Amino acid sequence: MELKEKQIKILEVAVELFKEKGYMGSSVRDLATKLNIKAASLYAHIRSKEEILEWICFGVAHEFFEELQEVKNTKVSPQEKLNLFLDKHLSVVLKNRDVTHIYSNEWKHLEERLPEFIELRKNYQQEVEQLISEIYQAENWELKSSAFTTRFILHTLNNSYFWFKRNIESTSEITSEIREKLLFGLLGNQKQS
């Protein structure tokens, strides 16, 4: 999905507005006011407020898939692959915390494309679960529930932007700390090599 220059500006302002008022609390009129244009003029660039939410949700989802495919295609040890997955997923989450916040909390307000988005999220979770299972199997680690482990990892990664104040910790420090905490929890008393 390639956005035009004006649509990118609309998206940037909409992200600020949705973060401030929430998706449901924001109107096209609010967005037009922030852009300093008439609401009717906005419709020359967007179909609806929901289209902007689609740009956000599907845009982030596709970034997650792109990074996951890169991880899957990388020829490294299983544990390095797990590290790489954590780094790549977190990089998408932390690259733009406001967009991630909207993606994580407002997706349920999609109407027209909600079933498609739910299917996309489900497919991503299944692909991550397969990756996690393969890593555990290759390392001979005990995996009681691949589904629970995957949901736990994704929930932790997707909500990590809540834990850190902007401009205090760098993305690499955040990523390193989360990776260590997840791996320690995942590996239990097993030593990392």
Side-chain angles (χ1 to χ4, degrees), residues 10-161:
I10 291 168
L11 177 60
E12 289 169 355
V13 173
V15 166
E16 291 173 22
L17 182 64
F18 294 171
K19 185 169 185 288
E20 177 187 324
K21 292 182 152 192
Y23 174 76
M24 295 303 285
S26 304
S27 69
V28 171
R29 186 178 308 280
D30 295 332
L31 182 56
T33 300
K34 277 194 169 280
L35 287 162
N36 202 25
I37 61 174
K38 294 185 190 246
S41 301
L42 199 50
Y43 288 108
H45 306 285
I46 64 168
R47 285 188 333 267
S48 63
K49 180 177 80 164
E50 184 176 352
E51 182 180 33
I52 299 168
L53 186 59
E54 290 172 7
W55 293 344
I56 292 167
C57 292
F58 284 91
V60 173
H62 288 296
E63 280 189 66
F64 284 139
F65 269 104
E66 286 172 16
E67 297 295 352
L68 179 60
Q69 291 315 310
E70 190 174 320
V71 170
K72 289 173 117 183
N73 295 330
T74 302
K75 303 292 183 217
V76 295
S77 74
Q79 195 164 343
E80 288 173 312
K81 198 169 265 199
L82 181 57
N83 279 329
L84 185 60
F85 167 71
L86 297 175
D87 288 350
K88 294 264 186 205
H89 191 95
L90 267 173
S91 74
V92 174
V93 170
L94 298 176
K95 184 169 53 176
N96 189 332
R97 298 171 191 205
D98 294 342
V99 170
T100 303
H101 173 79
I102 294 163
Y103 165 86
S104 295
N105 296 292
E106 304 288 0
W107 64 269
K108 59 191 163 286
H109 299 298
L110 289 168
E111 293 176 14
E112 185 179 314
R113 295 184 69 191
L114 181 60
E116 179 185 352
F117 185 72
I118 289 171
E119 188 65 24
L120 193 63
R121 285 174 62 108
K122 180 179 162 190
N123 290 343
Y124 183 75
Q125 182 174 324
Q126 287 172 341
E127 285 199 36
V128 172
E129 185 175 338
Q130 180 184 356
L131 176 69
I132 298 295
S133 294
E134 289 169 4
I135 290 167
Y136 269 72
Q137 196 169 37
E139 291 289 336
N140 290 318
W141 297 335
E142 183 182 349
L143 181 60
K144 292 181 180 174
S145 170
S146 59
F148 175 82
T149 301
T150 301
R151 284 193 300 267
F152 174 79
I153 291 169
L154 290 176
H155 180 77
T156 302
L157 297 176
N158 288 342
N159 291 288
S160 61
Y161 64 91

Side-chain angles (χ1 to χ4, degrees), residues 90 94 97 159-170 173-175 177-178:
L90 267 173
L94 298 176
R97 298 171 191 205
N159 291 288
S160 61
Y161 64 91
F162 277 122
W163 306 337
F164 302 93
K165 294 181 183 168
R166 295 178 196 281
N167 303 322
I168 293 179
E169 297 93 347
S170 73
E173 289 170 341
I174 293 170
T175 301
E177 181 153 350
I178 289 173

